[in-house]
Amino acid sequence: MNVPPRASVDDAIVASGLGKRFRLRHERPTSLSRQLIDMVTRTDRSEPFWALKDVSFTVPRGGALGIVGRNGSGKSTLLKILAGTLAPTTGMLEVRGSMSTLLQLGGGFHPDFTGRNNAFLSGALLGIPEPVLREGFDELVRFAELEQFIDIPTKYYSAGMLARLGFAVSMAVDAEIMIIDEVLGVGDAAFQRKCEARMRAMMADGRTIVIVSHDPGAVKTLCQRAVWLDRGVIRAIGQADEVVAEYASAY
Amino acid sequence: MAVATNVSNAHAVMWAMCPGTVHQVKFMASSVAVTPPSVTFTHQRSLWQHRHLMVALAGRDLRARYRQSFLGLYWAVLNPLIQTVVMAFVFVTVMGVTSQRVPFVVLYFSGILYWSFFTNAVTGAMGSISAQVYLLEKHRFPIAVLPLASILARVVDFVLSLGVFALLLAWYGLPVPETIWLWLPMMALLLLPTIGLGLLAAALNTLYRDVSQIVGIVFTLGFFLTPIVYDADTVQAPYRWWLLLNPVAAAIHGSRRALFGPEPAPLEEFVPALLLGLAILGGGYLIFRRLQSTFTEVL
């Protein structure tokens, strides 16, 4: 049981007792008649699985929180709940401020459309007004290092190119809170340094950042605080370097 | 007696000893008190604030559909045209059907115009969410934008086929009366069930794959229960009231009377269809809202 967070007005994110239950359907009734039969006979074919249990933390305005954990520990589930694309089963979440998200690197683009078209659609989804995006678009393309390729369909992009485009669009949003999933694992060293510099600048600007990473080093250098998730529960929470050290020594 | 106790004890021990059986997990999980979640985002943007997104998605829908196809945008126009030719052959040449006010081809085209829009829009909206899960997983936005954008794209198709209809009228030398403005309220009437059923079908289709089958059957029957190959004015009471309860039928009837005369249909003929259309729109929207939080989980 972790200590319930003391929420204050200076917090950008307040999460308390968040839990997510998935129903593992071994045999999913996808037809209506099957569903009706199951309903009448009161057959529950699902098996509950708690991907996240009693997760509580707060992120102060301008703070940076890192989330570490192994595959299947619930990191992405937590991030999706914070981003609002997944509803929690239980618990309380408050996100105070405008938000930009970068979930699932390279996802979210339609392969048949050009990088430009996809960037504008992602921008619209993230809430960047079109004139603003148009104005800053050259800069965005330069940052993503895609000058030559912006007008070709994204199906011809490499994983690194997709990641760079996604990151550049998310960073173009003038949001108070950034939720970023596993960006630092992709792209070459030079691009990673650029991303880190950009994120630092945003933090210096008073923006709040939550990042998930497999890479403990990145969490340690970017975040003040960290959460270690293990099989859906918080195993450790506190100073980033301490949590990361504990996590690293456990495996 | 003693034996019986032993047996039940042994059973209890066995039960406790096998950890992690499905039954135990089930029992434990369901005994956890689950309080309903409360999620607050202070910066929630409305459907209206996403209108540019809707337009962008509709443009994309049109481009994706017509890209890499030989005839491109002409398909929107060719489809009703081909259907009209076949229908004219069957009904006029083979069966010898005669229509009173206007040639059969014009009558049929004025009906299939609306019907095609309705069926294509509902079908498109139905698949719009499952086809774009990659957006749902990544961004938080009002999901209704997806089916609405798909319907908007079909409105563009509809406008294109209106152009063909205008050419058809010119070909037969039919005048266009002033009452043509009544097409706008008729189009609005048609949009009510289109959006309502589009949202409903989109939501249910994420849960049950047989929704598309049901929709297919409804469309096949609906084709004959809607005045497309015949004129609503030839239908007598008491069936006429039931026929015009259908908002699609009422919209076709109203626009034909506005265009071909003798005079625009009386307003009270549209009240039942309008009420039903509003009910479908409201119901479809409410069910969509109710189900939308489960979309990312089931898809």
Side-chain angles (χ1 to χ4, degrees), chain A residues 5 31 78 123 152 186 191 220:
Chain A
S31 76
L78 177 57
I152 65 167
V186 201
F191 188 71
K220 204 155 69 181

Side-chain angles (χ1 to χ4, degrees), chain B residues 235-289:
Chain B
V235 180
Q236 304 300 318
Y239 304 115
R240 189 183 165 87
W241 190 87
W242 289 102
L243 186 78
L244 293 180
L245 177 63
N246 169 3
V248 186
I252 293 174
H253 173 60
S255 43
R256 279 177 177 167
R257 286 280 291 261
L259 190 56
F260 309 138
E263 73 283 319
L267 199 60
E268 63 265 23
E269 269 197 322
F270 298 98
V271 175
L274 182 65
L275 293 178
L276 181 64
L278 286 171
I280 294 173
L281 177 65
Y285 179 68
L286 286 179
I287 293 174
F288 188 91
R289 278 244 324 239

Side-chain angles (χ1 to χ4, degrees), chain A residues 84-156:
Chain A
T85 61
L86 200 63
T89 311
T90 183
M92 191 275 287
L93 171 70
E94 234 186 286
V95 177
R96 301 169 184 158
S98 58
M99 185 168 67
S100 173
T101 55
L102 180 54
L103 303 179
Q104 289 183 336
L105 265 188
F109 294 135
H110 192 299
D112 284 338
F113 287 97
T114 63
R116 184 184 300 272
N117 184 300
N118 273 303
F120 271 90
L121 195 82
S122 283
L125 280 160
L126 289 165
I128 315 177
E130 203 176 306
V132 174
L133 190 59
R134 209 172 284 283
E135 199 177 310
F137 198 72
D138 288 342
E139 156 65 20
L140 187 157
V141 174
R142 209 171 314 123
F143 182 82
E145 300 168 18
L146 288 170
E147 291 95 334
Q148 266 183 285
F149 310 107
I150 196 67
D151 286 314
I152 65 167
T154 52
K155 63 180 162 194
Y156 301 121

Side-chain angles (χ1 to χ4, degrees), chain B residues 136-153:
Chain B
L136 296 195
E137 285 174 339
K138 230 186 145 211
H139 302 285
R140 178 172 59 95
F141 61 98
I143 302 172
V145 165
L146 297 177
L148 289 177
S150 161
I151 292 171
L152 185 61

Side-chain angles (χ1 to χ4, degrees), chain B residues 221-238:
Chain B
L221 297 177
F223 179 82
F224 294 102
L225 295 174
T226 305
I228 300 164
V229 289
Y230 54 90
D231 191 337
D233 277 332
T234 61
V235 180
Q236 304 300 318

Side-chain angles (χ1 to χ4, degrees), chain B residues 20 32 66 86 88 112 118 134 162 172 175 184 191 206 208 274 291:
Chain B
V32 172
Y66 296 123
V86 174
I112 201 68
F118 172 68
Y134 68 98
L162 273 184
Y172 282 97
L184 282 176
L191 275 174
T206 60
Y208 311 107
L274 182 65
L291 292 176

Side-chain angles (χ1 to χ4, degrees), chain B residues 72-215:
Chain B
L73 217 54
Y74 295 110
W75 277 118
V77 166
L78 267 176
N79 236 335
L81 214 55
I82 293 167
Q83 286 194 49
T84 303
V85 170
V86 174
M87 285 292 171
F89 172 73
V90 173
F91 282 89
V92 181
T93 314
V94 178
M95 296 170 71
V97 171
T98 52
S99 51
Q100 287 137 14
R101 274 170 286 182
V102 286
F104 179 83
V105 169
V106 176
L107 182 83
Y108 179 77
F109 200 93
S110 67
I112 201 68
L113 202 63
Y114 278 61
W115 181 253
S116 293
F117 165 74
F118 172 68
T119 55
N120 290 339
V122 172
T123 314
M126 182 167 67
S128 64
I129 294 176
S130 23
Q132 292 173 101
V133 192
Y134 68 98
L135 295 177
L136 296 195
E137 285 174 339
K138 230 186 145 211
H139 302 285
R140 178 172 59 95
F141 61 98
I143 302 172
V145 165
L146 297 177
L148 289 177
S150 161
I151 292 171
L152 185 61
R154 299 292 81 79
V155 172
V156 175
D157 287 350
F158 175 78
V159 171
L160 287 173
S161 49
L162 273 184
V164 180
F165 186 55
L167 289 177
L168 202 62
L169 289 178
W171 174 268
Y172 282 97
L174 292 166
V176 175
E178 263 173 41
T179 46
I180 187 72
W181 68 268
L182 282 167
W183 277 56
L184 282 176
M186 289 304 124
M187 189 62 203
L189 176 62
L190 180 65
L191 275 174
L192 301 176
T194 306
I195 296 174
L197 289 177
L199 289 174
L200 181 70
L204 292 179
N205 189 49
T206 60
L207 301 176
Y208 311 107
R209 296 293 154 189
D210 32 13
V211 171
S212 58
Q213 306 286 337
I214 297 170
V215 167

